[in-house]
Amino acid sequence: MQEPAITTDLIEAHGLKPDEYELILEIIGREPTFTELGIFSAMWNEHCSYKSSKKWLRTLPTDGPQVICGPGENAGIVDIGDGDAVVFKMESHNHPSYIEPYQGAATGVGGILRDVFTMGARPIAAMNSLSFGETAHPKTRQLVNGVVEGVGGYGNCFGVPTVGGEVRFHPAYNGNCLVNAFAAGIAKTDGIFYSAASGVGMPVVYLGAKTGRDGVGGATMASAEFDDTIEEKRPTVQVGDPFTEKRLMEATLELMQTGAVISIQDMGAAGLTCSAVEMGDKGKLGVKLNLEDVPQREDNMTAYEMMLSESQERMLMVLKPELEAEARAVFEKWDLDFAIVGETIAEDRFLIMHNGEVKADLPLSPLSGRAPEYDRPWVETPAAEELGDVPSIDAIDGLKALISSPNYAGKQWVYEQYDTMVMADSARLPGQGAGIIRVHGTDKKLAFTSDVTPRYVKANPVEGGKQAVAEAFRNLSAVGAKPLATTDNLNFGNPEKPEIMGQFVGAIKGIGEAVGALDMPIVSGNVSLYNETDGSAILPTPTIGAVGLIAADEEPINGEAREGHVALLIGETTGHLGQSALLAEVFNREEGDAPAVDLETERKHGEFIRANRDMIKACTDLGDGGLALAAFEMAEAAGVGVQIDSDDTATLFGEDQARYLVACNFDQAEALMIAAGQAGVPVSSVGKFSGDSVSFGGASAPLAELAATFRGAFAEAIA
């Protein structure tokens, strides 16, 4: 088949700028073949090369005594003691999910699970963070239904519990939803597998499902804005098969026990190209591939299609040749393809052969090492204007406005479609803050959370970035877990616009400051840029996924409020209403500054909660909706009324940071207040849990009536 001539239009269609093409010519000293152009396009797009973000990502704290492996591998790894490690990562599948919601979300889950088990870890938990347009938008219902079905369909069939996440709606996501998928697994510290190839002449082995034409050019599509040609991009979305992935996981983990694996890499974005180049580059080796040996499910596939296909459920491995027979037997037992498709070579060369013809012959290391790196111009986000007057409102009316909004209503409709109990180690279900999973066969537990408040980040990227980390820290502390580390999923608009790049830079600064101050290093992550449609960007959404440990000799804070419990507020309340949920939902205003985050105070208050867990029956952090929403949610979960003494709008709905609401009996409340005084932690009694109504000062409503609104509003808006 005749390869097309390289034209200016073809170069542009591959997402390459004229100066980037000039750099390719300089590196190889000639015009590339069509397949070579595709390979450069795949390796140098934003999604794979991080060319706009690398400079700033290097500033993030990634080390700590608990960190076994930081960014740069398939997933991050953190020591949890006793020879055990937690392996975790979060990644976006935004563009595919907007084009084809079910498969886009499903393959996002599949990809992140592969990142975890490729490193030798058995997945134990999944989460997701989803952002959609306003509910009245004609596409939103289809997107929400498709994405939630896709997440559930893949995760449930694969057999991993979904333990948490978040769902938000805002007009800024009308043309570009966000689907951020998180997975975590457990590995033995002496049984971790990496992707760097080693040894010359070692067989390169293709594992898993066959290669088709689905997903060709997917990574390049994910590195561009959307416009009115969006429907034409549907073929770039991959198709997933969770049952094949389940077999692939079992086969891979069994294969790792044979000692045959030298290195192993998931085939994700840019498929065979990216996985082979990364393995070679990390091992300072070249790679030769013979594409006629690649298992194919479609006829007459070209070298270009095979190199850029993003068909799912595939891995690439470098194998000890003497153990080939044992390795092959494992994959044949699981009815999966096992094919030697090439070998490692001593030269710095990426040689692609197809039926005896050379289709690509490139220096390998420049494919990743010389990818363009930009110091994009950026402007600081201007300081937010001062918040104007916020009228006082009836507190119950304010609460009703929040709990009837799909942003703050109960998300049962979502998480009831997910299997939350498979593997039987779930100790806390979604909808109540951080999820908790028992580490099988031990008395340790891990807690998981995912957090960001995009309107804070838009108003003040530095404080908003800090707040995302601080909220994750609080969510873990509120269940008694010591925060260990974080993964970030940085979703922004077009970085070529200085104001968007300014949001990114500000958020990175805030995140870096917070993870450093709170000892929660970033160990893995993903950057998703160009989340724009027709020039209109999403809200800056730097999602933080975080993991915490509850040691074997510690109990989680996992109880419920009970009749007669005292409601204690830990932390200072000034009544900050800028960018608050109340302001957005009741007054339709997004004004003022994000709340300030004092990291020293966050740390002190979190440590106080964890140190005094024995006196605390139930605990939640205060975030969106402030004291009013936190008190209601705690009461609703327990089925008991709550009376809060104040009816002041700012006191109830302010979103000051570093605060927790605690429920405990009277004796424990007294002891907790004494301990707080000794620790210099502000604490105040704000009411009690009792009866069957919710009241704020003089305003009151039956709990059952409010609970019905809270539990029904999301489905009413979306189903």
Side-chain angles (χ1 to χ4, degrees):
M1 181 177 156
Q2 189 69 35
E3 290 200 339
I6 307 299
T7 63
T8 307
D9 286 350
L10 193 64
I11 293 162
E12 193 181 320
H14 279 76
L16 292 161
K17 301 272 195 300
D19 56 336
E20 293 174 342
Y21 185 69
E22 288 302 316
L23 181 58
I24 291 171
L25 297 181
E26 182 191 312
I27 288 169
I28 64 175
R30 57 176 170 79
E31 196 171 81
T33 66
F34 180 56
T35 301
E36 289 173 337
L37 183 72
I39 287 169
F40 271 105
S41 161
M43 290 305 299
W44 284 13
N45 65 59
E46 193 71 58
H47 192 76
C48 295
S49 74
Y50 295 104
K51 57 191 175 189
S52 299
S53 56
K54 249 184 213 167
K55 171 190 160 104
W56 296 101
L57 295 176
R58 290 193 191 102
T59 67
L60 290 169
T62 57
D63 294 328
Q66 71 275 41
V67 177
I68 294 173
C69 175
E73 271 292 343
N74 286 300
I77 310 177
V78 173
D79 197 328
I80 58 169
D82 314 306
D84 295 321
V86 59
V87 179
F88 64 98
K89 191 181 188 183
M90 195 168 211
E91 273 203 345
S92 59
H93 232 223
N94 303 336
H95 282 36
S97 300
Y98 189 79
I99 297 168
E100 219 304 307
Y102 184 93
Q103 290 297 348
T107 52
V109 174
I112 202 70
L113 289 167
R114 277 197 307 285
D115 280 336
V116 167
F117 70 74
T118 301
M119 301 202 72
R122 181 173 289 276
I124 59 161
M127 292 191 295
N128 52 79
S129 177
L130 312 175
S131 305
F132 299 103
E134 57 198 326
T135 54
H137 188 272
K139 200 164 166 70
T140 297
R141 279 186 184 205
Q142 176 219 345
L143 287 171
V144 176
N145 280 274
V147 164
V148 170
E149 274 183 41
V151 168
Y154 204 102
N156 297 354
C157 294
F158 179 86
V160 65
T162 299
V163 299
E166 46 189 350
V167 186
R168 70 182 56 83
F169 298 87
H170 190 280
Y173 304 103
N174 279 348
N176 198 125
C177 64
L178 301 183
V179 175
N180 294 175
F182 170 100
I186 296 291
K188 287 294 177 188
T189 52
D190 60 358
I192 293 164
F193 290 80
Y194 296 99
S195 58
S198 66
V200 174
M202 296 296 166
V204 174
V205 185
Y206 173 113
L207 306 168
K210 289 178 166 50
T211 293
R213 291 186 172 92
D214 53 325
V216 172
T220 304
M221 175 272 293
S223 304
E225 289 184 40
F226 281 154
D227 53 29
D228 53 12
T229 64
I230 188 168
E231 281 304 313
E232 296 165 22
K233 296 184 168 82
R234 192 174 294 277
T236 59
V237 178
Q238 314 91 324
V239 177
D241 176 357
F243 296 109
T244 299
E245 176 123 334
K246 176 73 169 168
R247 286 184 289 128
L248 179 61
M249 177 190 73
E250 297 297 351
T252 302
L253 295 178
E254 189 175 326
L255 175 71
M256 288 167 170
Q257 300 302 310
T258 66
V261 179
I262 294 174
S263 68
I264 189 161
Q265 174 80 33
D266 155 46
M267 278 196 235
L272 196 50
T273 291
C274 201
S275 53
V277 169
E278 285 191 9
M279 287 172 91
D281 187 48
K282 285 174 186 167
K284 297 186 169 40
L285 291 166
V287 174
K288 177 187 176 187
L289 296 178
N290 300 306
L291 296 186
E292 63 274 14
D293 297 328
V294 169
Q296 297 157 56
R297 66 164 186 261
E298 298 185 46
D299 294 335
N300 303 317
M301 286 189 73
T302 64
Y304 178 95
E305 289 169 332
M306 279 188 270
M307 292 308 294
L308 298 192
S309 165
E310 293 182 11
S311 293
Q312 296 291 288
E313 293 85 43
R314 302 179 303 158
M315 320 272 260
L316 202 62
M317 170 179 77
V318 176
L319 172 78
K320 290 179 184 167
E322 67 275 16
L323 293 173
E324 182 197 328
E326 289 96 314
R328 187 183 293 277
V330 169
F331 270 72
E332 286 177 352
K333 181 181 88 173
W334 287 100
D335 195 22
L336 291 163
D337 278 295
F338 177 103
I340 293 174
V341 295
E343 62 178 341
T344 57
I345 54 179
E347 311 99 288
D348 178 24
R349 192 175 175 199
F350 194 37
L351 180 60
I352 308 300
M353 306 293 294
H354 191 206
N355 297 324
E357 269 184 67
V358 176
K359 291 296 182 181
D361 189 355
L362 299 168
L364 186 142
S365 59
L367 281 168
S368 57
R370 284 192 67 186
E373 192 173 317
Y374 296 119
D375 185 1
R376 301 251 187 229
W378 60 279
V379 295
E380 203 167 305
T381 301
E385 289 180 19
E386 267 195 39
L387 178 63
D389 181 53
V390 180
S392 290
I393 58 160
D394 178 273
I396 292 294
D397 288 347
L399 178 65
K400 283 179 176 173
L402 292 183
I403 63 175
S404 60
S405 156
N407 277 313
Y408 305 109
K411 304 297 189 297
Q412 288 85 349
W413 181 88
V414 177
Y415 60 73
E416 283 172 0
Q417 296 187 52
Y418 304 152
D419 192 332
T420 56
M421 296 300 290
V422 64
M423 299 171 79
D425 280 318
S426 304
R428 186 179 172 100
L429 298 182
Q432 304 170 5
I436 303 175
I437 293 281
R438 290 178 284 267
V439 179
H440 199 76
T442 77
D443 290 326
K444 293 177 293 203
K445 299 171 185 69
L446 288 168
F448 302 97
T449 185
S450 152
D451 299 286
V452 64
T453 309
R455 61 181 186 277
Y456 290 174
V457 187
K458 187 174 186 196
N460 186 332
V462 177
E463 288 301 312
K466 281 201 295 199
Q467 193 276 339
V469 176
E471 186 165 344
F473 175 87
R474 288 199 302 273
N475 273 324
L476 296 175
S477 297
V479 298
K482 178 180 170 55
L484 290 179
T486 47
T487 179
D488 58 3
N489 202 153
L490 307 171
N491 309 272
F492 290 82
N494 182 344
E496 294 166 51
K497 296 177 178 174
E499 65 278 12
I500 298 287
M501 198 63 208
Q503 292 175 346
F504 182 85
V505 171
I508 287 273
K509 287 179 174 177
I511 290 167
E513 200 184 323
V515 298
L518 299 173
D519 286 342
M520 298 168 74
I522 298 272
V523 296
S524 59
N526 170 243
V527 179
S528 174
L529 302 175
Y530 296 95
N531 289 292
E532 298 204 3
T533 300
D534 296 328
S536 179
I538 60 160
L539 292 180
T541 311
T543 311
I544 299 294
V547 177
L549 176 67
I550 301 166
D553 59 351
E554 294 173 335
E555 285 301 316
I557 303 170
N558 200 13
E560 290 185 336
R562 288 280 177 263
E563 177 71 39
H565 274 170
V566 177
L568 293 182
L569 180 62
I570 310 288
E572 294 275 10
T573 300
T574 62
H576 182 95
L577 287 171
Q579 299 298 332
S580 64
L582 182 84
L583 202 64
E585 299 291 347
V586 175
F587 299 104
N588 201 25
R589 290 162 57 186
E590 290 185 19
E591 295 168 26
D593 202 352
V597 178
D598 182 325
L599 294 166
E600 202 178 312
T601 304
E602 290 285 1
R603 186 179 182 122
K604 187 178 182 180
H605 293 184
E607 286 172 352
F608 175 78
I609 293 287
R610 298 198 303 273
N612 292 283
R613 70 184 69 222
D614 295 346
M615 292 186 261
I616 297 171
K617 292 298 183 198
C619 180
T620 184
D621 89 301
L622 267 59
D624 285 330
L627 173 60
L629 190 57
F632 165 75
E633 287 182 342
M634 203 183 257
E636 196 276 336
V640 61
V642 63
Q643 286 79 51
I644 299 296
D645 302 331
S646 176
D647 64 357
D648 175 66
T649 300
T651 302
L652 288 170
F653 295 99
E655 296 180 6
D656 307 286
Q657 300 295 293
R659 297 187 304 156
Y660 299 83
L661 183 64
V662 164
C664 53
N665 63 38
F666 188 77
D667 293 351
Q668 291 166 325
E670 276 192 324
L672 207 54
M673 290 176 98
I674 291 166
Q678 290 166 344
V681 170
V683 61
S684 54
S685 171
V686 292
K688 62 177 180 177
F689 292 89
S690 73
D692 56 8
S693 66
V694 175
S695 61
F696 301 119
S700 175
L703 175 64
E705 179 190 306
L706 295 172
T709 300
F710 178 69
R711 287 180 171 258
F714 189 93
E716 201 174 307
I718 287 305

